[in-house]
């Protein structure tokens, strides 16, 4: 027998399924209970198209993604989906990922067009590249770490302990007083939640311990659980989230970066629904069905980022499920 959310998805027509922010708003406004539920959970989207979405582009395709192309993608996303925040590139060494060699130029170009400084993020992998970001007055940063030492070594040439030390230095550097310095937001990606592509499955209790370390205090505005391999299972996710919250982690500080099948599936649906049930409402999304850590995972094993269309479907099924749940509870 199909679950209520699966019956919902099987009954909803292709033409009424939200595919953009405007059609989502139309769907929500058709029923006051939908809008009320949406406003209560307040889902917040962080677009990673111009970073994770394109970082696996082959060298032959890099030339196609010049600044004009990236600007076109940015404005397409802005006007079609209007996410709360964007990640528009990385300051990684261009010899490693040449697709990002123009990240600073793209940032300057967009900010000159009056796009708010407070919603553009750039990933910085180390202290040296952070210096470049500070020099160009970058306002928001993404840092990267992992729960796998082997992954971290291959991805950044530093182990986890060295990465932690370097991040402390980077945070102190960001917080140094200076003229015209504004508050800076830092998002931390914690890679290999569930599985490392090099050493395999990671112990859940170790993951919880590491997440607690990063989420405690104010050094990071957001701690993002990144399912690097796209193999995170609901039971593992539930165990991790339950114990993080039980040990004092604020769910409002957590977000999700999922790599998954491009098809609607129960596992991803259950993960997103459970996140929303527990106050985790920030999700990374992309307009592209590409993504993943191309430095550590072979191209054929890379899984898609969570797309907007899939997220809208999971969101609508969640809203529908909660409306049905409230209707049933009112009968008793």
């Amino acid at each position: 027998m199909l679950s209520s959310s699966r019956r919902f998805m099987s009954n909803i027509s292709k033409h009424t399924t939200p595919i953009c922010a405007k059609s989502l708003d139309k769907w929500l406004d058709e029923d006051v209970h939908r809008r009320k539920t949406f406003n209560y959970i307040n889902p917040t989207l962080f677009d990673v198209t111009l970073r994770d979405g394109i970082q696996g582009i082959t060298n032959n395709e890099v030339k196609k993604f010049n600044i004009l192309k990236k600007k076109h993608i940015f404005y397409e996303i802005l006007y079609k989906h209007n996410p709360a925040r964007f990640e528009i590139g990385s300051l990684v060494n261009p010899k490693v990922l040449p697709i990002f060699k123009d990240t600073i130029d793209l940032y300057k170009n967009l900010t000159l067009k009056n796009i708010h400084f407070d919603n553009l993020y750039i990933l910085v992998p180390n202290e040296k590249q952070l210096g470049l970001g500070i020099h160009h007055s970058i306002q928001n940063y993404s840092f990267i770490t992992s729960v796998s030492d082997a992954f971290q070594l291959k991805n950044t040439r530093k182990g986890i302990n060295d990465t932690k030390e370097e991040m402390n230095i980077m945070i102190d550097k960001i917080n140094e007083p200076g003229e015209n310095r504004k508050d800076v937001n830092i998002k931390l990606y914690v890679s290999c939640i569930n599985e490392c592509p090099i050493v395999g499955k990671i112990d859940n209790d170790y993951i919880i311990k590491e997440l607690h370390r990063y989420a405690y205090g104010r050094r990071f505005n957001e701690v993002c659980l990144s399912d690097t391999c796209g193999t995170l299972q609901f039971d593992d996710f539930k165990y991790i989230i339950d114990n993080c919250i039980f040990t004092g982690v604020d769910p409002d500080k957590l977000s999700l970066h999922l790599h998954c099948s491009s098809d609607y599936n129960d596992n991803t649906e259950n993960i997103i629904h459970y996140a929303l049930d527990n106050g985790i409402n920030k999700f990374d999304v992309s307009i592209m069905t590409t993504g993943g850590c191309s430095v550590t995972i072979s191209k054929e094993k890379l899984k898609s980022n969570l797309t907007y269309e899939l997220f809208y479907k999971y969101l609508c099924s969640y809203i529908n499920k909660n409306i049905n749940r409230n209707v049933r509870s009112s009968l008793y």
Side-chain angles (χ1 to χ4, degrees):
M1 180 178 292
L2 289 174
S3 66
S4 61
S5 57
R6 295 295 287 173
R7 286 198 300 273
F8 167 75
M9 289 312 305
S10 64
N11 291 332
I12 192 169
S13 76
K14 180 179 180 181
H15 298 292
T16 57
T17 302
I19 58 172
C20 62
K22 185 176 181 179
S23 60
L24 176 62
D25 274 338
K26 182 178 179 180
W27 183 84
L28 292 170
D29 288 337
E30 289 173 354
D31 187 322
V32 65
H33 299 294
R34 293 176 185 173
R35 175 62 70 179
K36 184 177 179 180
T37 304
F38 177 85
N39 290 342
Y40 178 77
I41 60 177
N42 188 30
T44 302
L45 300 184
F46 185 101
D47 188 278
V48 295
T49 306
L50 289 172
R51 204 275 299 172
D52 194 34
I54 65 173
Q55 72 178 13
I57 296 297
T58 65
N59 290 335
N60 292 332
E61 297 174 301
V62 167
K63 291 182 180 179
K64 299 178 183 178
F65 286 84
N66 55 29
I67 285 186
L68 288 178
K69 174 70 171 179
K70 290 180 179 180
K71 284 173 59 182
H72 175 79
I73 292 172
F74 177 87
Y75 285 112
E76 177 187 355
I77 296 166
L78 178 65
Y79 292 116
K80 188 173 182 180
H81 301 290
N82 192 28
R85 295 185 287 276
F86 293 84
E87 196 168 65
I88 61 167
S90 171
L91 298 186
V92 65
N93 188 328
K95 292 181 180 179
V96 178
L97 291 172
I99 189 72
F100 296 129
K101 64 182 179 181
D102 57 3
T103 293
I104 292 293
D105 291 336
L106 176 63
Y107 180 83
K108 288 182 175 181
N109 196 293
L110 291 175
T111 53
L112 284 174
K113 300 298 182 180
N114 296 318
I115 299 298
H116 297 302
F117 279 82
D118 60 0
N119 72 348
L120 300 184
Y121 282 67
I122 289 179
L123 187 145
V124 288
N126 53 48
E127 181 186 359
K128 178 181 178 180
Q129 299 305 327
L130 175 66
L132 179 63
I134 292 174
H135 175 74
H136 289 284
S137 301
I138 304 297
Q139 189 64 31
N140 306 302
Y141 297 96
S142 300
F143 290 179
I144 50 173
T145 189
S146 173
V147 291
S148 167
D149 204 58
F151 177 90
Q152 195 67 10
L153 281 167
K154 186 169 184 179
N155 195 35
T156 67
R157 298 183 180 179
K158 285 185 173 66
I160 292 176
N161 288 334
D162 288 337
T163 298
K164 289 175 181 176
E165 291 181 9
E166 185 174 41
M167 284 195 299
N168 286 334
I169 295 172
M170 293 164 70
I171 293 169
D172 289 340
K173 183 172 289 189
I174 284 174
N175 292 327
E176 287 178 357
E179 293 184 9
N180 301 319
R181 295 293 293 275
K182 300 179 181 179
D183 291 336
V184 174
N185 296 306
I186 305 174
K187 174 179 180 174
L188 176 66
Y189 288 105
V190 184
S191 298
C192 300
I193 297 298
N194 184 64
E195 182 181 357
C196 167
I198 302 168
V199 301
K201 184 76 168 63
I202 305 295
D203 179 70
N204 284 337
D205 290 317
Y206 176 73
I207 293 172
I208 293 164
K209 183 184 73 172
E210 290 296 285
L211 289 175
H212 195 278
R213 184 195 309 273
Y214 294 124
Y216 184 77
R218 300 181 179 179
R219 296 178 77 78
F220 300 108
N221 301 88
E222 179 181 336
V223 177
C224 185
L225 285 66
S226 184
D227 179 22
T228 305
C229 294
T231 56
L232 179 62
Q233 295 300 303
F234 172 71
D235 287 344
D236 288 317
F237 176 73
K238 182 179 184 301
Y239 181 87
I240 291 168
I241 294 306
D242 285 349
N243 284 278
C244 278
I245 294 175
F246 179 77
T247 54
V249 172
D250 182 358
D252 188 53
K253 204 165 190 176
L254 302 179
S255 63
L256 282 182
H257 182 106
L258 300 175
H259 291 284
C260 55
S261 166
S262 58
D263 298 320
Y264 195 97
N265 68 86
D266 290 334
N267 185 66
T268 305
E269 176 186 61
N270 289 335
I271 288 173
I272 291 175
H273 286 196
Y274 198 71
L276 291 169
D277 280 342
N278 285 276
I280 301 170
N281 64 350
K282 293 183 283 293
F283 302 91
D284 287 3
V285 286
S286 172
I287 64 168
M288 300 175 69
T289 56
T290 53
C293 186
S294 57
V295 176
T296 58
I297 304 177
S298 57
K299 188 177 179 68
E300 64 274 8
K301 292 184 178 180
L302 292 173
K303 291 190 177 181
S304 170
N305 280 296
L306 179 65
T307 63
Y308 283 93
E309 288 78 4
L310 266 181
F311 179 77
Y312 292 148
K313 289 178 181 179
Y314 293 130
L315 175 64
C316 289
S317 70
Y318 179 82
I319 292 172
N320 180 74
K321 180 180 72 174
N322 277 271
I323 291 174
N324 288 339
R325 181 191 298 166
N326 292 335
V327 168
R328 287 195 300 270
S329 65
S330 69
L331 297 176
Y332 297 96

